[in-house]
Amino acid sequence: MKVVSSSDWRDALPFETPLLVADVAPGEPTRCATCGTSADPIPRERLWAVKHRHPNNHTGYLRFYCADHVPAAKVPEPPAPTRRTIAQRERSAATPTRRAEPVVEKPRAVCPDCFIEVSATGRCGMCGALIA
Ligand SMILES: [Zn+2]
Ligand SMILES: [Zn+2]
């Protein structure tokens, strides 16, 4: 089995999900990784390709299995990255709001004649009336 590290079709495959080898990598009959090199080659219509996660290589590695040795799909499809990103964004946006000190602002009096808020001194900026 040739190892081609920079092949695009492997990158597109989902992890830990058996796929028919004839669909993803058509070609000559080949062997099951578990049966080993002593076994007879199996037509790719009866072989399963599984891309496994690799601890040091994020592209993972691909193995072919016969129907007897194909592992069941281990992980469900991860949630769509966009949805997770939005959730994270919402969480990070909500956090500072929750932590922020509540702004204590005394409601200021409004001048009954001018209908504007009086200044901190309690005096109306328009007419100069002192509002308690
Ligand atoms: Zn096998
Ligand atoms: Zn006024």
Side-chain angles (χ1 to χ4, degrees), residues 76-84:
E77 280 291 297
T82 48
R83 225 201 263 157
R84 202 189 293 167

Side-chain angles (χ1 to χ4, degrees), residues 111-116 124-129 131:
C111 173
D113 296 326
C114 310
F115 301 104
I116 61 160
C124 173
M126 288 284 266
C127 66
I131 314 297

Side-chain angles (χ1 to χ4, degrees), residues 31-35 42 46-49 64-71:
R31 289 181 177 87
C32 161
T34 306
C35 289
I42 300 165
R46 301 213 311 267
L47 271 177
W48 297 92
F64 293 164
Y65 298 100
C66 68
D68 291 338
H69 293 131
V70 61

Side-chain angles (χ1 to χ4, degrees), residues 44-64:
R44 296 192 177 212
E45 288 75 22
R46 301 213 311 267
L47 271 177
W48 297 92
V50 179
K51 189 164 83 168
H52 295 291
R53 292 184 193 281
H54 190 282
N56 302 320
N57 183 354
H58 74 280
T59 56
Y61 62 99
L62 198 72
R63 283 281 158 81
F64 293 164

